[in-house]
Amino acid sequence: MNAADPPFVSHLQSLLPAACFRAPTPGYFEEPRGRFHGVPAPVLAPATTEEVAALIRACNSARVGVVPYGGGTGLVGGQIQPDGPAPVVLSLERMRAIRRPADPRENVLVVEAGMILADVQAEAERVGRLFPLSLASEGSTRIGGNLSTNAGGLNVLRYGNARDLCLGIEAVLPDGTVFNGLTRLRKDNTGYDLRNLLIGAEGTLGIITAAALKLFLQPANRMTALFVVDSPAAALDLLALARDVAGEAISAFELIGRTGFDFLTEHFPDLRQPFARPPQWAVLTELGLSGGGDAQAALEALFEQAAEAGLVSDGVVAHSQAQSAALWALRETIPAANKRIGSIASHDISLPLSAIPDFIETCSTALAALAPFRINCFGHLGDGNLHYNLFPPQGQSRDAYDNIRKQATKIVHDHVHAMAGSFSAEHGVGRMKTGDLETYGDPGKLFAMRAIKAALDPNGIMNPGAMLAQGH
Amino acid sequence: MNAADPPFVSHLQSLLPAACFRAPTPGYFEEPRGRFHGVPAPVLAPATTEEVAALIRACNSARVGVVPYGGGTGLVGGQIQPDGPAPVVLSLERMRAIRRPADPRENVLVVEAGMILADVQAEAERVGRLFPLSLASEGSTRIGGNLSTNAGGLNVLRYGNARDLCLGIEAVLPDGTVFNGLTRLRKDNTGYDLRNLLIGAEGTLGIITAAALKLFLQPANRMTALFVVDSPAAALDLLALARDVAGEAISAFELIGRTGFDFLTEHFPDLRQPFARPPQWAVLTELGLSGGGDAQAALEALFEQAAEAGLVSDGVVAHSQAQSAALWALRETIPAANKRIGSIASHDISLPLSAIPDFIETCSTALAALAPFRINCFGHLGDGNLHYNLFPPQGQSRDAYDNIRKQATKIVHDHVHAMAGSFSAEHGVGRMKTGDLETYGDPGKLFAMRAIKAALDPNGIMNPGAMLAQGH
């Protein structure tokens, strides 16, 4: 691989308009948790698919790496190349046009990859529709990055991951070929599924430049409740009961543990907590009913039945959208509380639903044998996806735990793997978890991934070092 | 490529148990419409994934083709190799075990690829769940074939294609490597999406041997209605109104045209039709409500609102499951009526919803200039998927139209392509439509498909001639 050195940048200047060349400000070389710092590199922001293709063709000819950059919000270093020859950082920030306005009849919206997620949501809402992808970073994250990482978030239980929300994509392949797959069709069985191959490939097989997105009906009637349960097993029983009562209208089912409530008390004392004593476990659930349904009444019926069945010992059903927002604030403030405390290690894991109670029990026991961690286990229980983050005891610094961080993560990921789970449920592999993919990935899968990577990107220019460790 | 000749079969006999070798009965070399006839070939039915892998390894070493065979119900010749060196026909019929019984908590069922679709549905029903894939051929089609062709069917509007119903797969790749991707996880962002690459690849990238399938709640309350509309445009307006009234509970929205009703009158006179005069256009719709909803009441409310809005001029809402079944019988008997009459050409097309009225109008005009076809245009309107079949005028034989069949199909597919549609919505490419894929497929897509095929199957042994025309 060659560096994007001044002569190469001069060559690019002969190919592309001056507006494509951006000041390489620090933001392009940092990521939210400060774990990766990029090598200095030129930053280019093409305005059209043709300009992206010209840039990629030039990089491929010169064997210069390309690091795609969306909103910069990824949590596994997929957007940051920390070492090696300087790549070109390819930012999608100037490609944010609406190619085809939100259409409430077709329930489709076609946008360019650089559109901010919140703007995508707003365009759907403009015509009374919902684009359900929703993340903490939605005000800055870009849809192309969401697709390239197959982002998850808060509404996966009902609507699926980013992959499930996309009908078609346009992409530039590693040799500069444009893949025109921007279909608005719901059914199209004419060849290999390149769309899903590029979605979640983290920019290692090409650059997604535009996408046709699925829109959904706005649930007319939404309401939220917070229920206290004895255990994760009881939470899963509650989920089953909730499905009996409310069918597929459950749009969120989030676990919050005692540690999470304690963190909020410590660092956000003004945030009103609904229970006198922080519960051991609680579940935040939201129903979104269409037609004439009454979500609050359904949640109250669920509360009654769950209490009768001994699944729920306390709870609160919101009676207004303001109360609903206050309950959500508890869940959504947990990451900020985590950040203030400073985690030793964080894990974005998924498990088969039935394995979750056993995992929570046995993994915490194994970790306790290593050190007196505080474990904040919370997240998208309905999807089997937990954020399982380790913190030092109150009053201690995380730095003291530097030497056992890797060991702790190995314990967590070994337990997850033994229970048929995943070491990365929604954040992806990036550069942080390439080792985990080598360790836990199926050999047949790795073999096929390498063959596909070599076939589509023989020079290895696309996001070098992400997803697949280099040197293989 | 080499033929699966007697010495090679002897070699296989040294590798595999005798039970794997099946009598090559005619069924393995025929398909439902009689358009393809297979070259004589040995038929093998391995009982385990290891036996499949051993067979594939042997074929790959000897450069002998492998034609995967599920239920034999495909409509585009994907399961039949009509010429060339004799391949091995690899039937999945002995791999029909349940790997993991239907689990109503996880809503997952893990089965082997040879399980009959109706048996998969029954296993889900055993625990009060729904496996929504539903096709006319469900009594004989096998789930591995359904996945390999990304089958569609009657419930796509609500639940998606086969692809959307699968969490994970196990597959044998073209070199005999086993891909262990049989995950039960809802979220797993650890690498390229091989599952979706193999789903819909029609056996050209490997053999799906098992699958983890998603289960759904049984809609507690289902009911059906048949509405008379003036035009396809009015049918789309009705769909939009139905979504306002019933949200995402619409599980079917099927178009039936005058020709379809006439064909039923001609060939199934005992089938009771609900309207005194066959309508120009009608829509069969089904609602499936969970929780306490009343589907019949919702359909009656829809009828009233649609009549007020001038969208619907007549209609019937079923009042019992027997009446519901009688309405469905109309829709489901149309293919049998088509078969009795004998189509000149049939097309399985999809279009963006908003393009459908224009397509129906302009394509019929263009065809009328060629010959006095009777056009039976019917199918999954809610998905934008029409079965668009051409028949001779009453009393004429289709043989008289042999010489213009290709021309007629070109007119249809050209119109579809010009309107951003697909020449194969749900049946796939097989061997029948490889020319269409060359003609209408995006060059970038074809380029990437060939690169992936060459990377995973360098000897070209997997289902030779299917999907990608040979000689490229």
Side-chain angles (χ1 to χ4, degrees):
Chain A
M1 294 282 282
N2 298 316
D5 56 14
F8 181 68
V9 173
S10 298
H11 173 55
L12 292 180
Q13 282 164 339
S14 73
L15 297 173
L16 293 164
C20 291
F21 296 81
R22 314 298 283 184
T25 49
Y28 294 110
F29 305 94
E30 295 163 351
E31 45 79 38
R33 292 174 174 168
R35 292 178 182 165
F36 292 83
H37 302 279
V39 289
V43 177
L44 274 84
T48 65
T49 305
E50 293 65 35
E51 288 176 5
V52 173
L55 174 57
I56 298 286
R57 270 195 303 274
C59 290
N60 191 41
S61 298
R63 314 224 164 172
V64 168
V66 177
V67 175
Y69 191 90
T73 61
L75 295 171
V76 290
Q79 72 278 39
I80 302 287
Q81 185 187 307
D83 46 33
V88 168
V89 173
L90 194 170
S91 169
L92 277 301
E93 67 199 65
R94 291 175 67 221
M95 288 189 67
R96 42 176 201 266
I98 292 175
R99 292 269 185 96
R100 192 180 174 95
D103 180 337
R105 296 292 291 277
E106 287 194 2
N107 288 316
V108 176
L109 163 62
V110 184
V111 301
E112 292 186 344
M115 195 163 177
I116 299 282
L117 175 54
D119 295 337
V120 177
Q121 295 166 346
E123 171 62 13
E125 277 159 30
R126 189 181 61 76
V127 299
R129 290 294 180 265
L130 172 73
F131 182 66
L133 190 67
S134 176
L135 314 172
S137 58
E138 61 200 24
S140 56
T141 193
R142 297 179 193 274
I143 189 66
N146 301 145
L147 289 167
S148 290
T149 58
N150 187 29
L154 295 171
N155 287 324
V156 175
L157 183 62
R158 180 164 184 176
Y159 299 100
N161 295 295
R163 170 170 287 133
D164 302 301
L165 306 177
C166 179
L167 290 171
I169 58 167
E170 174 191 88
V172 177
L173 301 177
D175 74 336
T177 298
V178 176
F179 163 49
N180 293 296
L182 214 47
T183 175
R184 287 139 57 206
L185 302 174
R186 303 273 162 173
K187 292 168 87 171
D188 180 16
N189 276 346
T190 57
Y192 300 161
D193 188 359
L194 299 182
R195 165 184 51 132
N196 281 318
L197 186 63
L198 282 153
I199 292 175
E202 302 184 2
T204 62
L205 298 177
I207 305 271
I208 295 173
T209 48
L213 304 171
K214 289 187 202 171
L215 304 183
F216 293 80
L217 297 172
Q218 296 266 12
N221 193 295
R222 295 165 72 153
M223 203 49 81
T224 307
L226 185 68
F227 295 120
V228 173
V229 293
D230 271 355
S231 64
L236 290 172
D237 287 337
L238 178 64
L239 176 59
L241 182 64
R243 282 183 164 141
D244 287 342
V245 171
E248 282 143 6
I250 307 163
S251 53
F253 200 85
E254 298 283 312
L255 185 71
I256 307 177
R258 169 70 188 260
T259 309
F261 287 109
D262 286 349
F263 283 13
L264 293 176
T265 306
E266 281 172 42
H267 290 273
F268 293 88
D270 294 343
L271 202 65
R272 198 184 149 276
Q273 293 194 24
F275 307 115
R277 290 194 325 173
Q280 209 58 36
W281 294 102
V283 163
L284 180 84
T285 188
E286 181 171 289
L287 295 192
L289 298 176
S290 46
D294 180 340
Q296 185 188 321
L299 284 170
E300 280 163 357
L302 172 63
F303 192 1
E304 197 170 316
Q305 290 183 44
E308 264 173 39
L311 295 177
V312 158
S313 59
D314 198 353
V316 47
V317 176
H319 285 66
S320 66
Q321 293 311 312
Q323 287 181 7
S324 188
L327 293 179
W328 269 110
L330 297 171
R331 165 66 182 85
E332 289 176 338
T333 307
I334 290 177
N338 287 344
K339 203 165 177 178
R340 291 208 188 167
I341 294 167
S343 73
I344 298 164
S346 55
H347 309 95
D348 163 43
I349 59 177
S350 63
L351 291 151
L353 279 188
S354 60
I356 284 179
D358 190 24
F359 167 81
I360 289 178
E361 170 114 14
T362 59
C363 192
S364 67
T365 305
L367 286 166
L370 180 66
F373 298 110
R374 288 191 296 174
I375 301 172
N376 192 2
C377 170
F378 68 103
H380 319 301
L381 181 66
D383 312 319
N385 176 196
L386 299 174
H387 297 305
Y388 192 86
N389 297 357
L390 309 183
F391 298 84
Q394 209 167 357
Q396 288 190 22
S397 153
R398 65 171 163 180
D399 299 342
Y401 290 78
D402 271 357
N403 60 329
I404 57 168
R405 175 179 298 126
K406 280 192 179 168
Q407 231 176 313
T409 289
K410 185 173 185 309
I411 288 171
V412 175
H413 287 174
D414 281 355
H415 274 74
V416 167
H417 185 65
M419 294 181 182
S422 167
F423 63 85
S424 190
E426 56 178 14
H427 294 166
V429 175
R431 290 176 174 83
M432 183 186 286
K433 299 186 180 175
T434 52
D436 291 303
L437 184 56
E438 297 295 325
T439 304
Y440 302 110
D442 173 60
K445 173 175 160 178
L446 285 162
F447 160 80
M449 284 176 64
R450 291 203 180 92
I452 292 165
K453 171 74 173 172
L456 294 180
D457 184 14
N459 299 322
I461 64 157
M462 287 307 312
N463 216 1
M467 185 70 87
L468 289 165
Q470 285 181 294
H472 286 278
Chain B
M1 295 282 280
N2 297 317
D5 56 14
F8 181 68
V9 173
S10 298
H11 173 55
L12 292 179
Q13 282 164 340
S14 72
L15 297 173
L16 293 164
C20 292
F21 296 80
R22 314 298 282 183
T25 48
Y28 294 110
F29 305 94
E30 295 163 351
E31 44 80 36
R33 291 173 175 169
R35 292 178 183 166
F36 291 84
H37 303 278
V39 289
V43 177
L44 274 84
T48 66
T49 305
E50 294 66 35
E51 289 175 5
V52 173
L55 174 57
I56 298 288
R57 270 195 303 274
C59 290
N60 192 40
S61 297
R63 313 223 165 172
V64 167
V66 177
V67 174
Y69 191 91
T73 60
L75 295 172
V76 289
Q79 72 277 39
I80 302 289
Q81 185 187 307
D83 46 33
V88 167
V89 174
L90 194 170
S91 169
L92 278 301
E93 67 198 65
R94 290 175 68 221
M95 290 190 66
R96 44 176 199 265
I98 292 175
R99 292 268 183 97
R100 192 179 175 96
D103 179 337
R105 297 291 293 277
E106 287 193 3
N107 288 316
V108 176
L109 163 62
V110 184
V111 301
E112 292 186 343
M115 195 162 177
I116 299 282
L117 176 55
D119 295 337
V120 177
Q121 295 166 345
E123 171 60 13
E125 278 159 28
R126 189 182 62 75
V127 299
R129 290 293 178 266
L130 171 73
F131 183 66
L133 189 67
S134 176
L135 316 171
S137 59
E138 61 200 22
S140 55
T141 193
R142 296 180 194 273
I143 188 66
N146 301 144
L147 289 167
S148 290
T149 57
N150 187 30
L154 294 172
N155 287 324
V156 174
L157 182 61
R158 180 163 183 177
Y159 299 100
N161 295 293
R163 169 170 287 133
D164 302 302
L165 306 176
C166 179
L167 291 171
I169 59 167
E170 175 191 87
V172 177
L173 301 178
D175 73 336
T177 298
V178 177
F179 163 49
N180 293 295
L182 215 47
T183 176
R184 288 138 57 207
L185 302 173
R186 304 272 162 172
K187 291 168 87 171
D188 179 17
N189 275 347
T190 57
Y192 300 160
D193 188 359
L194 299 182
R195 165 183 51 127
N196 281 320
L197 186 62
L198 283 152
I199 292 175
E202 303 184 2
T204 62
L205 298 177
I207 304 272
I208 295 173
T209 48
L213 303 171
K214 288 187 203 172
L215 304 183
F216 294 80
L217 297 171
Q218 296 266 12
N221 193 295
R222 295 165 71 154
M223 202 50 80
T224 308
L226 185 66
F227 295 120
V228 174
V229 293
D230 271 356
S231 63
L236 290 172
D237 288 337
L238 178 63
L239 176 60
L241 182 63
R243 283 182 164 142
D244 288 342
V245 171
E248 281 144 6
I250 308 162
S251 53
F253 200 86
E254 299 283 313
L255 185 71
I256 307 177
R258 169 71 189 259
T259 310
F261 288 109
D262 286 348
F263 282 14
L264 293 176
T265 306
E266 281 173 41
H267 290 273
F268 293 88
D270 294 344
L271 201 67
R272 199 185 149 275
Q273 293 193 25
F275 306 114
R277 290 195 323 173
Q280 209 59 35
W281 295 102
V283 164
L284 180 85
T285 187
E286 181 172 287
L287 296 192
L289 298 175
S290 47
D294 180 340
Q296 185 187 320
L299 285 169
E300 280 163 356
L302 171 63
F303 192 2
E304 199 170 315
Q305 289 183 45
E308 263 173 40
L311 296 177
V312 158
S313 59
D314 199 354
V316 49
V317 175
H319 285 66
S320 67
Q321 293 310 313
Q323 287 181 8
S324 189
L327 294 179
W328 269 109
L330 296 171
R331 165 66 183 84
E332 290 176 337
T333 307
I334 290 176
N338 287 344
K339 203 166 177 180
R340 291 210 187 164
I341 294 168
S343 72
I344 298 163
S346 54
H347 310 96
D348 162 43
I349 59 177
S350 63
L351 290 151
L353 280 187
S354 60
I356 285 179
D358 190 24
F359 168 81
I360 289 178
E361 171 116 13
T362 59
C363 193
S364 67
T365 305
L367 286 166
L370 180 65
F373 298 109
R374 287 191 295 173
I375 301 172
N376 192 2
C377 170
F378 68 103
H380 319 301
L381 180 66
D383 312 318
N385 176 196
L386 300 173
H387 298 304
Y388 192 86
N389 298 358
L390 309 183
F391 298 83
Q394 210 168 356
Q396 288 191 23
S397 152
R398 67 170 162 179
D399 300 342
Y401 290 79
D402 272 355
N403 59 329
I404 57 167
R405 175 180 296 126
K406 281 192 177 169
Q407 230 177 314
T409 288
K410 185 171 185 311
I411 288 171
V412 174
H413 288 175
D414 281 355
H415 273 75
V416 166
H417 185 65
M419 293 180 182
S422 167
F423 63 85
S424 189
E426 57 177 13
H427 295 166
V429 175
R431 290 175 174 83
M432 183 185 285
K433 299 185 180 175
T434 52
D436 291 303
L437 184 57
E438 297 294 325
T439 304
Y440 301 110
D442 173 60
K445 173 174 160 179
L446 286 162
F447 160 78
M449 284 177 64
R450 292 207 177 91
I452 292 166
K453 171 74 173 172
L456 295 180
D457 184 15
N459 298 322
I461 64 157
M462 287 308 311
N463 216 2
M467 186 70 86
L468 289 165
Q470 286 181 294
H472 287 278

